[in-house]
Amino acid sequence: MTQDPFDLARSAADHIARATGVDTHDIALVLGSGWGEAAGLIGETTASLDAADIPGFSAPAVAGHVGTIRSALTANGKHALVLGARTHFYEGKGVRAVVHGVRTAAAAGAKTMILTNGCGGLKEHWQPGTPVLISDHLNLTATSPLEGATFVDLTDLYSERLRRLALEVDPTLEQGVYAQFPGPHYETPAEVQYAKRIGADLVGMSTALEAIAARSVGMEVFGISLVTNLAAGISPVPLSHAEVLEAGQAAGPRISRLLADIVAKL
């Protein structure tokens, strides 16, 4: 019989508490492509764990993602759980695996979930390296992390309060709707135009399922994307993962500092 996902999350949280010496974490972050440097800026790293040693986690399957889970003490005395190991829907491990990190963070006590990603932009003035606050999402994966008769209101999924705090740090930040496609292939130009017509400003392969899972366990959600490329049909050049990594590396120091300054306000 498959283990209950919430029992597995509690087992993972217990392992993290023992290994880090921190009984309760206050906030959690999932660091996507381009955001990894933030782990060293949000506070003093007090413990770093190999994700593969923690129940339910595995080594990352995507270049550009680290395989560690860190506990950090922020300048204002909060404990942050930094999840560098993200499982993507396209890896075929199931939706439970995709949201295991979020459920583990909640079981570890975190009340705030910060989700980051690298994505394609649908607005031509959003050049590679542009950070964009996520105001809402379109879940185009045709699935949900919720099972059974679990009805969760997603009206205000991406916290307006946290977006206001981010705008205090950088008033020039723009906001947009993020569409999660299943991947791993990039979207076709027609799919990008479809997403645009139904309200998307950003397209990627993560985040939405995690956000739903976070809200379902009562967490306040903050999402921010890094535009690593213009989406298919908008970009004049073919898309490549190397381009994503290059844009993330170029923008890394600036956006990581931005994220650290936002965390400092929490």
Side-chain angles (χ1 to χ4, degrees), residues 149-238:
T150 307
F151 306 114
V152 177
D153 180 20
L154 302 180
T155 302
D156 57 349
L157 175 55
Y158 295 91
S159 170
E160 183 178 353
R161 182 185 77 86
L162 297 181
R163 281 183 280 136
R164 285 199 302 266
L165 288 180
L167 289 168
E168 289 178 11
V169 173
D170 182 355
T172 69
L173 286 169
E174 294 192 55
Q175 305 188 46
V177 175
Y178 177 91
Q180 179 177 353
F181 281 82
H185 54 273
Y186 290 111
E187 306 76 23
T188 67
E191 287 169 338
V192 168
Q193 289 304 313
Y194 162 72
K196 188 174 183 179
R197 284 184 172 89
I198 63 174
D201 303 298
L202 307 157
V203 292
M205 305 174 194
S206 67
T207 303
L209 295 174
E210 294 161 319
I212 295 168
R215 170 48 60 86
S216 74
V217 291
M219 302 176 87
E220 188 175 19
V221 179
F222 174 76
I224 186 167
S225 294
L226 170 67
V227 175
T228 56
N229 55 274
L230 293 176
I234 297 174
S235 171
V237 297

Side-chain angles (χ1 to χ4, degrees), residues 10-34:
R10 283 188 287 271
S11 296
D14 289 344
H15 179 104
I16 291 169
R18 290 192 301 270
T20 63
V22 177
D23 292 334
T24 302
H25 284 84
D26 304 295
I27 61 177
L29 304 91
V30 176
L31 299 181
S33 298

